[in-house]
Amino acid sequence: MSSLVSIAGAEPVQIEADLTVGQALAEKYGRKPLAAKADGKAVDLATPVSSLDGGAETITLEPILENTPEGLDVLRHSTSHIMAEAVKELFPEAKVAIGPAVADGFYYDFEVETPFTPEDLPRIEAKMAEIIKADKPFARSILTTAEAKEKFRGQAEDYKVELIRDLEEGSGETQVSLYDQGSFTDLCRGPHVPSTGRIRAFKLTHVAGAYWRGDERNKMLQRIYGTSFFSKKDLKVHLHNLEEAKKRDHRKLGKEMDLFSFHDEIGPGMVVWHPKGARLRTVLEETERRWHLSRGYEVVIGPQLLKKSLWEKSGHFDNYRENMYFSEVDGQAYGIKPMNCLAHMIIFKSRKRSYRDLPQRYFELGVVHRHEKSGVLHGLPRVRQFTQDDAHILCTEEQVNAEIKGILDLEADMMAVFGFDYRLELSTRPEKSIGTDREWEMATNALRNALEEKGLAYQVNEGDGAFYGPKIDLHLTDALGRSWQTGTIQCDFTLPERFELAYIGPDGREHRPVMLHRTILGSIERFIGILIEHYGGAFPVWLAPVQAVILSVTDRAADFCGDVYDRLTKAGVRAALDTRNEKLGFKIREAQLSKIPYMLVVGDREVESSTVAVRVRDGEDLGSLDVSEFCDRVLSESKVDL
């Protein structure tokens, strides 16, 4: 027997059915592939071609190669299995939970009596090196769920048994795939690299606690993080970036720079902004308001509490309530808003609208609350109270395309101001959703068409849209090459229908508007956390909470320093004053640690000449400048236009 196979889009050829996928690809690709895709589904190279026949006339095979995102995922997932085997050999009593590939590497969760420590990692790495050297094949087998449960029960692997039971109950699975490497067996869909010897460069980075399935009601497990790459050079670069990331950690810098803090007595996920941090936020928010006003948006403000009946009407109560907080006032149930769209629709509905009034663009820096589990809270990027640079555009169907393009242009301009590269992702209808098939098709096509007409590259993320509409997500890349999801554009035909929004068209009849939900920076808290790490705390002059600090050399200069401070602040320069009786070198070092862009040194000579000696935070000496001249310099650097 033979199968008709197309290799990476080439003309179909007959392939002997007893060949494996790896053998079918070998003539063209040799040993380069790590795994493959058969008609779009990822498979191991050891998969027999005969097992792929799903009824189609031709099977299309594509290699998953090194130095591709898919290849890196396969490599890292395989490395996580090797780590699990090493842990089981060194700690036989450990119970194995889950171990996926993640954005920068992989992790594996274990139940152990004694928590892992950083000192355990070198031992585990050494054992992993032995397993890699042994070049053990990853062998896949298919068992019934009953057989697999029995196998893992015999190994006292309770978490694997629970996962299989969930597969049976959730999706009705009757079979599962297992992978063996030597004496170690794991439950896994795959695929994996052909053998452990394909792993070349890896490193275990740290340990942490993690609740089973992210639920604090469950047992606390021990999580080991690691990463792997195709070359030692790439690994070295990554490890350097990790060290740099530790130096730039926004939680560390936020404390050192006195920007913000968290307090148990206040509650987890609630940020307290100190004067400098609040000033930073204010600058960012005022700049954003100005940018939006220049693009035809109107600033609005909605309440924090809205009646529960509104959240039921919108679908949030049925589809999002696990993320919401609720309260009661005068016997009436209220929801604390997790997003700003409802008030914006009420504003639109507050009076009759004509097609001549559209589009209506409402912008709000709205404070929202979301019930994040305590286990996922992390500094500024993951909090329970945050502010979104939220906007909703209500427009006609004919205006949707131009409005989406306008948002894409605004995103591009704003990311350029901060020096961010980014990629775009189109997310489609999730399982849990509201609205008709037609509405979802129109909304998805509207987003896709705008992207393609703008000539913008994008990836498709199937099933990850909002429950009321598809979306375009913006993933920016920071100075360390890390990706962060920030802005989003959502196209919504559903909520205007539920809230009976209408405008009078040129035909004199009522028509339903389309609503675009969008953020550019996303959560202000999250974005500031990203900015702190992106700039390493050394904000550009326009954004720095303190742009200049005046340093006295002697007590004799204190009065003149006070005069300089007054002149700077009246001119609009964000200044600080340091006239302490400390050595000048000490003051300069403190100012450098605080990442203040300019240090203005004032001694007897400066007092006599009514000037300031200007030092830049990187150590450059600009010499003596007149105070007015320095003000003009800072104000010029503070002008940021789109």
Side-chain angles (χ1 to χ4, degrees):
M1 289 183 62
S2 62
S3 298
L4 195 60
V5 175
S6 171
I7 306 294
E11 285 296 316
V13 294
Q14 292 291 336
I15 298 288
E16 292 300 317
D18 59 354
L19 291 181
T20 65
V21 169
Q23 290 168 332
L25 293 171
E27 184 176 346
K28 185 172 182 180
Y29 295 100
R31 292 187 70 254
K32 291 179 182 178
L34 300 174
K37 288 189 287 185
D39 293 333
K41 181 183 177 182
V43 297
D44 297 292
L45 295 182
T47 305
V49 171
S50 58
S51 70
L52 302 175
D53 187 1
E57 290 185 9
T58 304
I59 301 165
T60 300
L61 292 181
E62 298 176 84
I64 295 177
L65 300 170
E66 295 185 3
N67 299 316
T68 64
E70 289 172 312
L72 200 54
D73 280 347
V74 171
L75 180 83
R76 288 172 172 172
H77 191 186
S78 301
T79 312
S80 77
H81 278 232
I82 293 171
M83 180 178 74
E85 180 183 357
V87 169
K88 287 291 288 183
E89 288 196 22
L90 293 170
F91 306 89
E93 78 288 352
K95 294 186 178 185
V96 182
I98 58 171
V102 291
D104 292 318
F106 59 85
Y107 68 79
Y108 221 118
D109 289 343
F110 304 92
E111 180 188 327
V112 288
E113 286 188 15
T114 304
F116 294 122
T117 67
E119 288 70 34
D120 292 320
L121 299 186
R123 290 178 60 208
I124 299 170
E125 287 178 340
K127 182 59 68 174
M128 291 173 67
E130 291 178 18
I131 296 167
I132 291 168
K133 187 175 181 181
D135 198 20
K136 301 177 183 181
F138 282 92
R140 187 174 191 259
S141 58
I142 302 294
L143 275 67
T144 66
T145 52
E147 291 170 335
K149 283 190 293 185
E150 187 63 28
K151 183 179 182 71
F152 285 117
R153 280 197 193 101
Q155 298 175 355
E157 293 290 1
D158 303 334
Y159 296 100
K160 300 299 179 183
V161 175
E162 183 179 333
L163 289 169
I164 296 167
R165 189 186 307 122
D166 288 350
L167 285 172
E168 289 176 314
E169 295 173 358
S171 56
E173 296 281 352
T174 58
Q175 292 183 323
V176 292
S177 58
L178 275 59
Y179 279 84
D180 297 305
Q181 67 223 45
S183 59
F184 178 73
T185 303
D186 208 347
L187 173 71
C188 186
R189 293 185 186 276
H192 286 285
V193 296
S195 64
T196 61
R198 296 294 290 268
I199 310 299
R200 299 185 198 130
F202 72 93
K203 180 70 177 175
L204 302 185
T205 55
H206 61 290
V207 296
Y211 292 111
W212 171 234
R213 296 188 157 175
D215 189 335
E216 58 265 33
R217 295 169 296 184
N218 291 335
K219 193 174 186 70
M220 174 69 80
L221 304 180
Q222 290 294 297
R223 177 171 293 180
I224 301 178
Y225 285 93
T227 192
S228 57
F229 287 88
F230 293 111
S231 72
K232 291 183 178 179
K233 179 182 176 182
D234 288 343
L235 176 62
K236 185 177 180 181
V237 169
H238 178 75
L239 295 177
H240 169 77
N241 285 343
L242 286 181
E243 287 303 311
E244 186 64 24
K246 288 179 185 177
K247 298 175 190 173
R248 294 176 179 231
D249 189 319
H250 73 281
R251 294 165 298 180
K252 171 178 172 287
L253 290 176
K255 184 176 181 180
E256 290 176 358
M257 298 174 68
D258 197 23
L259 299 176
F260 61 87
S261 59
F262 292 90
H263 301 273
D264 289 339
E265 57 265 45
I266 289 176
M270 304 293 180
V271 191
V272 178
W273 292 96
H274 298 199
K276 290 178 185 176
R279 195 181 302 170
L280 171 65
R281 275 195 62 150
T282 300
V283 172
L284 183 62
E285 292 175 356
E286 286 181 349
T287 302
E288 252 212 291
R289 285 192 187 93
R290 179 165 54 83
W291 287 342
H292 279 81
L293 289 169
S294 72
R295 297 291 177 107
Y297 287 82
E298 296 178 285
V299 176
V300 298
I301 300 173
Q304 292 292 301
L305 292 174
L306 295 91
K307 287 182 178 178
K308 176 187 167 187
S309 56
L310 274 180
W311 299 110
E312 290 172 329
K313 187 174 185 178
S314 69
H316 286 84
F317 188 78
D318 289 334
N319 295 278
Y320 202 75
R321 70 173 175 267
E322 66 273 12
N323 301 107
M324 294 179 63
Y325 298 103
F326 292 90
S327 185
E328 189 175 291
V329 181
D330 297 333
Q332 171 72 57
Y334 283 80
I336 301 173
K337 67 175 179 179
M339 46 195 69
N340 302 292
C341 46
L342 269 61
H344 295 189
M345 287 189 288
I346 298 300
I347 292 171
F348 183 88
K349 200 174 179 180
S350 64
R351 66 179 180 84
K352 280 199 170 186
R353 307 283 176 179
S354 161
Y355 71 96
R356 294 187 179 90
D357 300 324
L358 303 186
Q360 290 284 304
R361 304 185 187 102
Y362 302 138
F363 173 70
E364 178 177 6
L365 283 162
V367 177
V368 298
H369 292 78
R370 295 184 186 174
H371 183 203
E372 299 282 6
K373 293 178 180 177
S374 59
V376 301
L377 297 174
H378 173 76
L380 294 178
R382 206 70 182 262
V383 291
R384 287 177 173 165
Q385 175 186 296
F386 57 95
T387 301
Q388 283 185 306
D389 65 335
D390 213 354
H392 294 88
I393 300 173
L394 290 133
C395 60
T396 69
E397 283 190 37
E398 294 76 18
Q399 293 169 333
V400 166
N401 183 269
E403 290 302 312
I404 295 172
K405 288 178 181 177
I407 299 168
L408 291 168
D409 288 341
L410 182 57
E411 283 184 335
D413 291 343
M414 287 176 65
M415 289 303 106
V417 167
F418 299 102
F420 287 126
D421 292 326
Y422 62 92
R423 63 180 177 85
L424 299 170
E425 189 175 79
L426 175 63
S427 296
T428 58
R429 187 175 191 172
E431 278 188 35
K432 197 173 183 181
S433 61
I434 59 176
T436 66
D437 292 343
R438 179 178 176 274
E439 289 167 342
W440 275 87
E441 183 180 2
M442 288 192 299
T444 305
N445 287 339
L447 295 174
R448 182 182 287 112
N449 291 341
L451 286 167
E452 293 179 354
E453 289 173 21
K454 292 286 295 179
L456 297 171
Y458 65 94
Q459 297 171 308
V460 176
N461 186 8
E462 296 287 353
D464 199 40
F467 72 85
Y468 46 78
K471 60 179 180 171
I472 298 170
D473 284 333
L474 182 149
H475 298 260
L476 63 81
T477 303
D478 70 10
L480 298 181
R482 298 170 302 179
S483 180
W484 303 87
Q485 194 273 311
T486 52
T488 188
I489 308 170
Q490 301 164 359
C491 187
D492 179 8
F493 284 78
T494 305
L495 288 181
E497 183 71 32
R498 288 197 166 209
F499 280 79
E500 300 177 330
L501 304 186
Y503 67 90
I504 304 302
D507 58 1
R509 296 180 179 179
E510 285 194 346
H511 296 265
R512 197 74 73 207
V514 182
M515 183 156 72
L516 299 174
H517 311 243
R518 49 109 295 190
T519 64
I520 304 295
L521 307 183
S523 157
I524 297 298
E525 284 77 0
R526 177 182 175 84
F527 195 76
I528 288 176
I530 295 168
L531 287 178
I532 291 171
E533 298 192 5
H534 178 64
Y535 294 122
F539 298 108
V541 173
W542 75 270
L543 190 57
V546 177
Q547 296 171 314
V549 58
I550 304 139
L551 309 174
S552 61
V553 177
T554 66
D555 288 342
R556 294 188 299 275
D559 289 343
F560 182 69
C561 287
D563 292 340
V564 172
Y565 174 81
D566 290 341
R567 290 179 64 184
L568 293 180
T569 52
K570 285 177 182 176
V573 176
R574 298 186 292 277
L577 184 61
D578 186 352
T579 56
R580 294 174 297 166
N581 187 22
E582 299 283 357
K583 291 183 178 180
L584 180 61
F586 175 80
K587 293 180 181 180
I588 289 173
R589 281 192 298 275
E590 276 204 344
Q592 287 174 327
L593 287 173
S594 297
K595 318 288 187 181
I596 298 172
Y598 290 109
M599 286 152 274
L600 309 184
V601 178
V602 178
D604 292 338
R605 184 172 57 186
E606 285 74 32
V607 172
E608 186 178 339
S609 61
S610 295
T611 60
V612 288
V614 182
R615 291 173 58 97
V616 185
R617 66 181 157 209
D618 63 7
E620 183 184 1
D621 188 345
L622 299 183
S624 293
L625 295 178
D626 179 78
V627 176
S628 297
E629 186 182 356
F630 176 75
C631 286
D632 291 342
R633 179 189 181 100
V634 174
L635 295 177
S636 175
E637 292 179 2
S638 299
K639 290 179 182 176
V640 182
D641 296 316
L642 292 180

